[in-house]
Amino acid sequence: MDPVLNPYSPGAGLRPRELAGRESEIERFGVLRGRADRGLTSRSVVMTGLRGVGKTVLLNELATQARNDGWIVGKVEADRGAGGRPFREQVSRTLNRSLREATGASEMAVRLRRALATFKSFSLRTDSSGSLAVGIEVEPEVGRADTGSLETDLADLGIDLASAAAELGAGVGLFIDEMQDLPAEELAAVCQACHEAGQRDAQFYVVGAGLPSLPRSLAEARSYAERLFDYWPIGALEPADAAAALTKPALEAGVEWAAPAVEAVTLRAAGYPYFLQEFGKATWDFAPGPSITAADSTVGIQVGLDNLDHGFFKSRWERASAAERRYMRAMAAGGEEPSESGAVARRLAKKPSSVGPTRAGLIGKGLAYAPEHGLVAFTVPGMADFINRQPTD
């Protein structure tokens, strides 16, 4: 069939044609926005899940909805890598555009002017040249968001922005992707900002997305973090939703999937949205049409697996050191389920203490996480199967 018309788009953060199975989260965020518009405070939101479940897509969808409601919206992606931009700078850059849009959409109200001044103070603590406040034509607010302490300044900024948004009949949303990559002091600052905003009924919200280790990291940063956020686990799609994600985009293009083909692809994808897009795309490109058959899906699954092996999985495998790969092989020997750290050490014929740094390195690279004390698991579904298919070093 015509690849130009292919309705499937595997990729990091690419929105599928059919955002199936996330209606509950979208509805819950709609309730939060509705309450905020009435001055009723809710908790901020943290979404957690493995790679490939669609956290980034959902985060983008929620940010778009808030933006469409006239909210002041900023979105950042945490970056712990060398050369990554500091969180404070990222916040300044993303809010600059949103604030300039707010000033263009309304007369300069008193609270908005003050919020702009607070923002300018916040941004100047990152770059004294003023490059992060281009287009913000006010003087900085002395005594607000200018201490140099992110914990204090982010709270000031969030509260003053929320006050301005209230005049516009809206709220403020800071959307943070890969939130688990924020250092402890920055997580603490995010918690503090949410805490102070909530105490003042300021409609400032953080919506974060990250790996399953994120709730624990937040709790370590602030002991009361479990009371600051609503935690939404984002998992694999239910079979009916997985089938809808596969079949509805094709139907819009006038193409039907045979039931056995749908069953084969959804079963092999195990409900993971990224895998559905990969298998769907490969099946469409192979199928001669006018419909998609079980034979087409067999080829599409194999081509999709090859694509995943050479991209999705291989890129992560190659990020690991030789010692980390040996540790991952020992994890994979136990299958896809979490492994006891002690069992992994025994498979390596090592003492748990001697392989602790290797385990920590994998967690630091986002290749593994600790679902609970004494356990270790892959952050990528299907990683164990991939590793068990690789030749030994």
Side-chain angles (χ1 to χ4, degrees):
M1 290 189 292
D2 188 349
V4 173
L5 301 179
N6 194 320
Y8 307 103
S9 51
L14 297 182
R15 190 189 192 282
R17 298 280 294 181
E18 177 67 20
L19 187 56
R22 304 307 183 207
E23 295 84 1
S24 174
E25 290 80 11
I26 291 171
E27 180 180 349
R28 290 169 72 181
F29 188 62
V31 170
L32 183 152
R33 296 198 318 277
R35 286 175 54 82
D37 292 346
R38 292 162 176 79
L40 299 173
T41 305
S42 304
R43 286 184 289 197
S44 288
V45 175
V46 165
M47 301 183 289
T48 61
L50 299 178
R51 304 285 184 194
V53 297
K55 300 185 300 298
T56 298
V57 168
L58 184 54
L59 189 74
N60 289 340
E61 181 72 14
L62 300 185
T64 296
Q65 293 188 359
R67 197 175 286 113
N68 290 343
D69 276 0
W71 279 40
I72 296 172
V73 171
K75 182 177 179 291
V76 302
E77 180 179 329
D79 184 3
R80 70 165 58 177
R85 285 177 173 167
F87 180 61
R88 187 183 191 114
E89 179 183 342
Q90 287 186 295
V91 171
S92 296
R93 289 183 182 277
T94 189
L95 286 175
N96 179 285
R97 178 179 178 182
S98 192
L99 286 170
R100 285 189 285 116
E101 290 174 351
T103 59
S106 64
E107 294 184 5
M108 186 74 79
V110 173
R111 292 181 186 177
L112 180 55
R113 181 176 292 278
R114 187 184 188 203
L116 292 171
T118 301
F119 169 76
K120 194 155 193 177
S121 295
F122 182 88
S123 64
L124 287 172
R125 293 298 304 190
T126 302
D127 184 351
S128 60
S129 72
S131 65
L132 299 177
V134 171
I136 307 299
E137 304 301 333
V138 297
E139 291 299 314
E141 180 80 3
V142 177
R144 296 294 290 173
D146 60 0
T147 68
S149 164
L150 182 63
E151 190 169 308
T152 300
D153 294 350
L154 186 61
D156 283 351
L157 180 62
I159 290 167
D160 287 359
L161 288 179
S163 179
E167 282 192 321
L168 303 174
V172 180
L174 178 58
F175 295 78
I176 308 174
D177 203 6
E178 302 293 348
M179 193 171 171
Q180 78 283 338
D181 284 343
L182 289 180
E185 62 272 15
E186 293 177 351
L187 287 175
V190 169
C191 289
Q192 185 67 23
C194 293
H195 189 44
E196 292 199 24
Q199 289 178 328
R200 301 192 189 192
D201 285 332
Q203 302 307 312
F204 168 80
Y205 296 96
V206 168
V207 182
L211 294 174
S213 57
L214 178 54
R216 180 175 179 179
S217 297
L218 284 166
E220 290 172 350
R222 278 292 183 271
S223 61
Y224 51 77
E226 75 281 356
R227 289 171 283 155
L228 290 177
F229 301 96
D230 278 336
Y231 291 93
W232 299 355
I234 308 299
L237 299 177
E238 295 294 329
D241 292 324
L246 200 63
T247 59
K248 285 188 176 181
L251 282 174
E252 290 176 359
V255 174
E256 291 189 16
W257 281 72
V262 174
E263 183 179 3
V265 170
T266 55
L267 184 65
R268 190 63 183 84
Y272 287 103
Y274 185 84
F275 295 175
L276 286 167
Q277 294 297 306
E278 193 72 71
F279 297 153
K281 181 180 186 301
T283 300
W284 176 285
D285 285 344
F286 171 79
S291 61
I292 294 175
T293 67
D296 298 332
S297 70
T298 299
V299 175
I301 289 170
Q302 186 55 56
V303 172
L305 285 173
D306 289 343
N307 291 338
L308 289 170
D309 280 0
H310 290 92
F312 188 75
F313 293 119
K314 187 178 181 181
S315 63
R316 288 164 172 79
W317 183 241
E318 291 182 342
R319 285 170 55 199
S321 67
E324 288 167 345
R325 288 188 191 183
R326 288 192 291 272
Y327 192 96
M328 293 170 75
R329 283 191 184 279
M331 288 174 61
E336 296 290 345
E337 295 301 313
S339 298
E340 292 185 1
S341 299
V344 176
R346 287 193 294 274
R347 292 170 195 149
L348 292 167
K350 303 276 189 179
K351 292 182 178 179
S353 59
S354 67
V355 293
T358 305
R359 176 179 179 272
L362 288 170
I363 292 174
K365 291 179 178 178
L367 301 176
Y369 74 102
E372 58 183 75
H373 182 72
L375 294 180
V376 63
F378 293 114
T379 59
V380 174
M383 193 71 190
D385 181 53
F386 167 79
I387 291 171
N388 289 330
R389 290 186 278 108
Q390 302 311 299
T392 57
D393 295 333

